[in-house]
Amino acid sequence: MSATSTANEHALPIASGRETAKQVWRLSRGHRLRLATVAVLGLVSTGINVIPPVIIGFLVDQVRAGTADLGTVLTVTALMVLSAVLGAAGTAVTIVLATRIYHTILAGLREQLVSRAMTLPQHLVERAGTGDLISRTSDDVTAVVDAAPAVIPAVTVTAFTIVVSLGGLAALQWQYAAAFVVVLPVYVLVMRWYLRIGPRVYGAERAAMSARAQQILESQRGYATVLGLGLTDQRHHSVMTASWGVAVWTLRARIVQAMLSIRLNLGECLSLATVLAVGFFLIKADASTVGGATAATLLVLRLLGPINELVFVVDDLQSALASLSRMIGVATIAEGPGEPTATVDTDIAVRLQDVAFAYGDGPRVFDNLTLDIPVGQRIAVVGASGAGKTTLAAVIAGIHLPDAGTVARPGRTTLITQETHVFAGTLRSNLTLAAPDAADHDIHAALEATGAAGLLDLLPDGLDTMIGTGGYPLTDAQAQQLALARLLLADPELAILDEATAEAGSTHAGLLDRAAEATLRGRTGLVIAHRLSQAATCDRIVVMEHGRIIETGTHDELVAAGGVYGGLWSAWKAGRSINNKVERTGS
C-alpha cells in the first residue's frame, strides 16, 4: 500500500487520504441505510431552522407596509418557537444517530487494527520500533475517540447548514446565492492552504509522539541496564529531546490553527459585505424588499456560526484524521511474501544457505552463514556474548529477515526467550494461549512434564487462579516453567529456546534444564545455551564466534578435539567445582 514518507524509513505505513476514505467506506457497509436516514433527517432539521430568518424578513416587510398587527406578531412568534423546537430536536437526533454510526464503524476499525497488530511479522514491528505500534493502538485510538463529541456535531451541522442556506438564499433571490457563491473561492483557497499544511504538521506531531513513546518505552524496559551502566543522564537526554520534538510540532500546529482562524474571519467579512451590497442594489432597483435583504443577511449570519464552530474543532478534526490514517495504515498492511525460502529435504527441518544479516546500517552480524538442522535433532548453539547466537535464533524464527540468502523452517515454529511474560488472567488462560482447545488433562500433563505440577497445590483456585498483574505472584522459575508448558501445549515442529532458562539461577537450574529437555523431547530443537550442561545433552553443538560457525560436532567430539568448545567446557567444569566447594564450605 502507498504511504506518506516518514522520518523513519522503517516506520509502519500511514494510509493516504484516498486509502483512508476507501477503508472507511468499506467499514460503513451495513450502516449505509442509517447514514442515508441521518442525511435526510439532517436536511429536514436544518430546513426547519431556516424558517425563522424567512419569517423575520416577512415581518419586516409587513411592518414597512403597515399591515402588521398583533395577530401577525403572535403568528410569527409561534412559528419561530415551533421551528426552533422542531429544528433543535431534529438536529439532536441527527447528531445522536451520526455519533452511534461513527462509534460503530470505529469499533470495527479498532478490531481490525488489533487483529492485524497481533499478527504483524515481528521483524516489521522490531524495525519500526514497538513504540510506533503502541502509539497507534493507544494514542491514535484515543485521539479519534476523543474527537467525536466535538467534531461530529460541528461537521454534521455545518455540512447540512451550508446546503440548506444556499438553497434558502437562492429561493429568496438568486443574486443573494450568487453573491455568496462568489466569495466561496476564498474559503476554498483557505481550505486548500490548510489541507496542504495541516495534515503534514499534524502527521509530524503524531510521529513525534511515537518517537517519544519509543524512547520512554525503551527506558522503562531497560531500567536495570540503564542503572547498571550509568546511562541515566543519556536516557534522560533522549527522552527530553523526543519530548521537545513533540512540543515544537504541537506549537506549530497551534500557529497553523491561528492562521486558519484569521483567514476564515476574512472570508466571513467578505461574505456578509457582499450580500449586504447586493441587497442594497436589489432594493434600489426594486428587485428585492428590505425584508428579503434582511432574511438573506440573517441566513448568511446563521451560516457563519457553524463555520466558526468548525474552526474551533478543526484542530481536533485534523488530529483525528492524522490518527485515523495511522490506524488504517496498520490495519490494512498486506500480508507480505515473507523471506525467500530454500528447498529442504524431508529429513532436514531447518536450512540456512549463505545467510547474511545486519541491524539497520550497522555491520553484518554474520555473512554467508550455512547451517542444516536435521528433523528430530536438538542442536545447541554456544559462544561468547556478541557471537551472534540470539540473532541466529531470531533469523531462524522469522523475527528478522535475512539481508541475503535463504532460510527454510517448519511452518509451526515457536521461540521462547529468557524474557518470559505472565499475562493477567487465570493460569488456564495463560497456558492455553497457543492451544485454545487444550483440555484440562492436557494442561496437567504439560505441567507434569515440565515439573510444575506442584504449582497447582500452591494456587488457591488451581487452574482458575488469577496470576500476573494483580493476581498470584509467580517466581522467575515458575514463570519459565509456565512458558515451557505453554510451548509443550502448542506442540510446534521446531522449538527454539533462546536462553529460556537463564534467569533461573543455580537453585533451579537443574529443574528448568530437565523441563526444557522434556519440552524438546520428540521434536526438532534449537537451544541457545546459557549453561554448557544444557549443550552437553544435545545431539550436536554449534560453536559461534563473531558471527561465524567455527566448530560443530557432538559434545564428546568437541571436548576430545580440544578446541574452543573444549576450552569452554574445561573452564566451566572448573568454575562448577569451585562453586560446589564454596557451597559445601558455607553449609
Side-chain angles (χ1 to χ4, degrees):
M1 63 180 293
S2 62
T4 60
S5 60
T6 61
N8 181 1
E9 61 178 349
H10 299 306
L12 296 171
I14 301 175
S16 65
R18 178 176 296 180
E19 290 168 337
T20 300
K22 181 179 179 180
Q23 184 65 12
V24 170
W25 177 250
R26 190 191 68 80
L27 289 170
S28 69
R29 189 176 302 152
H31 309 287
R32 292 170 189 169
L33 180 59
R34 285 194 293 168
L35 285 172
T37 302
V38 168
V40 172
L41 183 58
L43 289 172
V44 172
S45 302
T46 309
I48 293 174
N49 287 328
V50 170
I51 294 177
V54 175
I55 292 180
I56 291 175
F58 168 78
L59 182 60
V60 169
D61 285 338
Q62 293 294 308
V63 171
R64 282 179 56 83
T67 58
D69 55 16
L70 181 59
T72 304
V73 174
L74 292 177
T75 301
V76 168
T77 302
L79 288 174
M80 291 180 62
V81 170
L82 181 61
S83 63
V85 172
L86 292 177
T91 301
V93 173
T94 301
I95 292 173
V96 169
L97 290 177
T99 302
R100 291 186 63 179
I101 296 173
Y102 171 88
H103 281 291
T104 302
I105 294 175
L106 179 60
L109 175 59
R110 292 177 69 177
E111 290 179 1
Q112 183 178 344
L113 171 64
V114 173
S115 176
R116 190 68 188 98
M118 294 297 290
T119 57
L120 283 177
Q122 192 164 343
H123 69 86
L124 187 65
V125 178
E126 293 284 346
R127 298 190 74 176
T130 52
D132 190 8
L133 182 59
I134 290 174
S135 176
R136 297 189 191 216
T137 55
S138 56
D139 292 343
D140 288 322
V141 171
T142 300
V144 175
V145 172
D146 290 348
V151 170
I152 292 178
V155 172
T156 303
V157 172
T158 302
F160 292 136
T161 300
I162 290 175
V163 173
V164 173
S165 296
L166 283 175
L169 288 172
L172 288 172
Q173 201 81 29
W174 67 267
Q175 289 91 340
Y176 291 125
F180 186 77
V181 169
V182 168
V183 184
L184 279 181
V186 175
Y187 292 97
V188 173
L189 291 175
V190 169
M191 293 311 297
R192 285 187 62 182
W193 166 83
Y194 183 72
L195 292 176
R196 186 177 69 253
I197 301 297
R200 180 176 61 84
V201 172
Y202 285 106
E205 181 186 21
R206 302 307 302 177
M209 290 181 178
S210 292
R212 179 182 61 183
Q214 178 69 23
Q215 293 297 331
I216 294 174
L217 185 65
E218 289 180 352
S219 298
Q220 291 175 336
R221 285 184 171 178
Y223 177 74
T225 302
V226 170
L227 291 183
L229 298 180
L231 302 177
T232 304
D233 291 339
Q234 178 184 336
R235 294 309 307 169
H236 176 73
H237 176 73
S238 299
V239 172
M240 288 301 296
T241 300
S243 298
W244 274 112
V246 174
V248 168
W249 281 109
T250 301
L251 180 60
R252 291 183 180 181
R254 300 295 86 77
I255 292 174
V256 169
Q257 182 187 8
M259 294 174 67
L260 174 64
S261 297
I262 293 173
R263 286 167 166 79
L264 287 178
N265 287 336
L266 174 62
E268 294 168 3
C269 179
L270 291 175
S271 300
L272 192 58
T274 302
V275 171
L276 286 173
V278 168
F280 171 78
F281 287 109
L282 288 176
I283 293 172
K284 188 175 181 180
D286 291 329
S288 179
T289 64
V290 174
T294 302
T297 303
L298 291 175
L299 282 174
V300 172
L301 287 173
R302 184 179 176 279
L303 178 59
L304 298 181
I307 293 178
N308 284 332
E309 184 182 355
L310 183 61
V311 170
F312 289 111
V313 300
V314 76
D315 175 35
D316 294 331
L317 176 60
Q318 284 300 316
S319 181
L321 289 176
S323 294
L324 186 64
S325 297
R326 286 163 52 84
M327 290 170 61
I328 290 176
V330 173
T332 57
I333 292 178
E335 295 286 346
E339 71 270 30
T341 58
T343 302
V344 185
D345 300 331
T346 55
D347 57 344
I348 299 297
V350 177
R351 170 162 290 170
L352 280 71
Q353 292 182 321
D354 300 323
V355 171
F357 177 79
Y359 289 100
D361 298 326
R364 284 190 168 178
V365 180
F366 42 75
D367 198 0
N368 295 324
L369 187 68
T370 297
L371 175 67
D372 283 350
I373 301 178
V375 173
Q377 274 201 8
R378 287 178 294 167
I379 305 298
V381 181
V382 300
S385 178
K389 305 185 300 297
T390 294
T391 302
L392 175 64
V395 169
I396 293 177
I399 293 175
H400 299 316
L401 295 183
D403 298 326
T406 57
V407 177
R409 62 178 176 275
R412 291 186 292 114
T413 297
T414 300
L415 168 68
I416 294 183
T417 69
Q418 58 184 329
E419 297 177 359
T420 301
H421 182 73
V422 179
F423 294 88
T426 65
L427 176 62
R428 178 186 285 103
S429 64
N430 266 268
L431 288 169
T432 58
L433 282 172
D437 297 328
D440 283 0
H441 65 83
D442 298 320
I443 297 175
H444 284 284
L447 291 174
E448 184 71 34
T450 54
L455 178 61
L456 294 176
D457 297 330
L458 301 177
L459 301 179
D461 298 318
L463 292 175
D464 294 320
T465 302
M466 297 296 295
I467 59 176
T469 305
Y472 186 91
L474 299 182
T475 65
D476 290 341
Q478 289 170 337
Q480 288 173 325
Q481 285 177 306
L482 177 66
L484 292 171
R486 226 186 249 150
L487 183 146
L488 202 59
L489 288 169
D491 192 24
E493 298 173 75
L494 170 65
I496 303 175
L497 305 184
D498 183 6
E499 298 188 353
T501 62
E503 298 290 340
S506 58
T507 304
H508 301 97
L511 173 65
L512 287 178
D513 282 349
R514 289 190 295 273
E517 186 176 353
T519 302
L520 296 176
R521 190 175 297 121
R523 59 172 52 87
T524 307
L526 179 69
V527 179
I528 308 301
H530 175 71
R531 292 181 294 274
L532 292 187
S533 58
Q534 294 175 296
T537 62
C538 290
D539 300 312
R540 186 157 60 100
I541 299 171
V542 171
V543 183
M544 294 190 69
E545 185 177 86
H546 304 304
R548 296 181 299 109
I549 297 176
I550 59 173
E551 293 180 2
T552 181
T554 66
H555 170 75
D556 293 337
E557 290 172 349
L558 293 179
V559 171
V564 173
Y565 181 80
L568 291 173
W569 178 256
S570 298
W572 185 80
K573 283 183 63 179
R576 290 290 297 169
S577 178
I578 293 173
N579 289 336
N580 291 336
K581 288 181 180 179
V582 171
E583 290 176 1
R584 286 196 298 269
T585 303
S587 60

